């Protein structure tokens, strides 16, 4: 596979469930990102990992927990979510100083019931 | 408080004509400005960038203009083609982060 892949593409979960989103990049990039996109709103940066270390955490609630085991994989662990967390979750990667050129996966559409 | 604003939710343009998408920003510390394009069921795709020290960057049919005094940038697509129909996002870089606009849906009419 090429580019950035995300699984699952769709997820429905109850507020008491625990689930994980997975992202994998095949581009040899050294930075990875999680974004949230709610309807009609701008993309919101959630987490940034550079060289497998978290460098940004934009005041995201602790019910979202990221994990970056290596430079190719990124996870978002979800626990006790709220209905307002329903959104499209996008993963992206970039390389070096051109971090403004980000390559996105297709996203996971999350619905919290 | 949105630092990057795209005030037009949608824009309709005839095929072959020029499409102009606009974006305003408030933070003078942004050092790069970007345009991304998004088709349904896909993630955004990088289109073109401009450094804050430039006022124009061109790549084929796509040209981005930056007016720093007005804190305004625009994307020109000439000529517009049916495949250009998509949502276009403006974004700006500050430190590690990209700050995004809400997007403009461009519809190219045959």
């Amino acid at each position: 596979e090429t580019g950035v892949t995300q699984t699952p593409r769709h997820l429905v979960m109850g507020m008491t469930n625990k689930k994980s989103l997975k992202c994998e990049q095949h581009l040899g990039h050294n930075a990875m990102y999680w974004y949230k996109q709610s309807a009609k709103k701008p993309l919101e940066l959630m987490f940034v990992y550079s060289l497998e270390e978290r460098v940004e955490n934009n005041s995201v609630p602790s019910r979202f927990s990221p994990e970056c085991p290596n430079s190719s994989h990124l996870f978002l662990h979800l626990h006790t979510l709220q209905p307002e967390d329903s959104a499209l979750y996008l993963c992206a990667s970039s390389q070096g100083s051109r971090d403004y050129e980000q390559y996105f996966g297709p996203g996971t559409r999350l619905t919290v019931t | 408080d949105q630092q990057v604003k795209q005030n037009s939710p949608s824009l309709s343009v005839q095929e072959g004509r020029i499409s102009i998408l606009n974006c305003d920003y408030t933070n003078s510390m942004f050092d790069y400005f970007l345009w991304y394009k998004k088709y349904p069921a896909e993630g955004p795709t990088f289109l073109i960038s401009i450094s804050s020290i430039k006022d124009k960057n061109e790549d084929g049919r796509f040209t981005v203009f930056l007016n720093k005094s007005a804190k305004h940038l625009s994307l020109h697509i000439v000529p517009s083609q049916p495949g250009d129909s998509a949502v276009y996002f403006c974004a700006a870089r500050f430190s590690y982060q990209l700050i995004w606009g809400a997007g403009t849906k461009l519809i190219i009419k045959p």
Side-chain angles (χ1 to χ4, degrees):
Chain A
E1 286 199 69
T2 58
V4 180
T5 58
Q6 289 185 245
T7 53
R9 294 293 306 274
H10 299 272
L11 178 62
V12 179
M13 60 186 287
M15 289 191 284
T16 58
N17 290 162
K18 286 185 183 180
K19 295 285 184 184
S20 296
L21 308 185
K22 180 183 175 182
C23 175
E24 186 171 357
Q25 59 99 357
H26 308 268
L27 301 166
H29 288 169
N30 61 7
M32 296 186 77
Y33 311 79
W34 279 117
Y35 285 93
K36 175 184 178 183
Q37 187 182 23
S38 303
K40 308 286 189 204
K41 288 190 174 180
L43 273 72
E44 300 171 53
L45 180 65
M46 299 176 74
F47 302 103
V48 181
Y49 276 83
S50 178
L51 298 171
E52 299 153 46
E53 291 206 12
R54 190 190 310 177
V55 295
E56 192 67 50
N57 175 354
N58 275 356
S59 304
V60 178
S62 60
R63 56 187 184 268
F64 295 92
S65 173
E67 179 190 0
C68 187
N70 55 61
S71 59
S72 299
H73 294 85
L74 186 65
F75 294 90
L76 187 63
H77 304 299
L78 314 173
H79 174 53
T80 322
L81 294 192
Q82 305 298 309
E84 61 264 28
D85 297 322
S86 298
L88 181 69
Y89 289 84
L90 290 159
C91 172
S93 68
S94 69
Q95 175 63 26
S97 59
R98 286 183 69 90
D99 57 2
Y100 52 81
E101 186 174 343
Q102 296 181 7
Y103 291 74
F104 283 82
T108 295
R109 174 68 63 186
L110 174 67
T111 304
V112 181
T113 62
Chain B
D1 176 30
Q2 271 186 264
Q3 297 185 64
V4 177
K5 283 187 182 178
Q6 294 178 256
N7 291 317
S8 299
S10 67
L11 174 67
S12 188
V13 173
Q14 203 75 34
E15 182 180 354
R17 306 293 291 266
I18 183 171
S19 295
I20 300 176
L21 297 122
N22 294 302
C23 180
D24 296 301
Y25 63 94
T26 56
N27 190 342
S28 57
M29 299 299 290
F30 290 139
D31 65 346
Y32 269 91
F33 300 89
L34 313 314
W35 286 95
Y36 279 76
K37 173 180 175 179
K38 185 180 186 299
Y39 293 120
E42 295 182 13
T45 302
F46 173 77
L47 199 53
I48 193 168
S49 65
I50 186 166
S51 163
S52 60
I53 62 172
K54 306 272 189 182
D55 55 20
K56 179 182 173 182
N57 188 26
E58 205 169 336
D59 183 2
R61 296 186 298 114
F62 302 91
T63 303
V64 57
F65 295 92
L66 177 62
N67 182 333
K68 287 181 69 176
S69 60
K71 292 191 171 72
H72 178 84
L73 77 155
S74 61
L75 175 69
H76 292 212
I77 307 173
V78 182
S80 300
Q81 298 175 354
D84 296 329
S85 294
V87 176
Y88 288 78
F89 292 98
C90 165
R93 188 178 78 170
F94 177 72
S95 186
Y96 294 105
Q97 298 198 41
L98 293 187
I99 310 299
W100 296 75
T104 296
K105 184 175 184 178
L106 176 64
I107 300 162
I108 306 300
K109 300 179 293 185

